[in-house]
Amino acid sequence: MDVRIPADENFDFYACRKLYKKYQKAVGDDVSFNQIIKNTCFYSFYDNKNLVGCIYVFEKNKKIFINGFAKRGFHNFNIKAVKKIFDWFKSDIYAFSINKPARYLLLRCGFSKITDNLFVYYNNGESRKGN
């Protein structure tokens, strides 16, 4: 697995943007790809030099959220990509998804369901107290 960020020399902006546009409706975002790149911590994930998907991390209501998009047929690869985020961000991580396959992936990654579309990954033991 190769991970690239927009500051990397070999970051493929155009391939990431094309993949985003393909899955934008499923992701549920109504912002432009440029806004996502500019306002989030953005990571693209490659398998054998082929772009598989992207995950972006952002703050909302003083909480860390993730969102992402990926090619179909790479479920296990995408689980590994999401789990990498857990190593880089040590706080609890939230995700909102309207997409059924994405909700399933979140549960497989260890997220807990809060509501039908809102999930949390308890990335630090303190957050679990009292739950």
Side-chain angles (χ1 to χ4, degrees), residues 4 11 13-14 16 24 37-38 41 55 64 74-75 84-85 87 89 92 94-95 100 105 114 119 121 123 126 129 131:
R4 301 177 191 167
F11 179 77
F13 177 88
Y14 298 103
C16 292
Q24 183 176 5
I37 291 286
K38 186 176 181 180
C41 296
I55 297 173
I64 300 297
F74 289 89
H75 188 76
K84 275 199 168 293
I85 299 295
D87 294 335
F89 294 86
D92 295 342
Y94 292 80
K100 190 173 182 176
L105 180 120
I114 297 174
F119 300 82
Y121 177 79
N123 206 14
E126 294 299 311
K129 292 179 181 176
N131 290 341

Side-chain angles (χ1 to χ4, degrees), residues 9-24:
E9 184 178 310
N10 58 353
F11 179 77
D12 192 341
F13 177 88
Y14 298 103
C16 292
R17 184 177 69 184
K18 182 178 178 184
L19 191 61
Y20 174 71
K21 286 185 177 213
K22 181 175 182 178
Y23 293 109
Q24 183 176 5

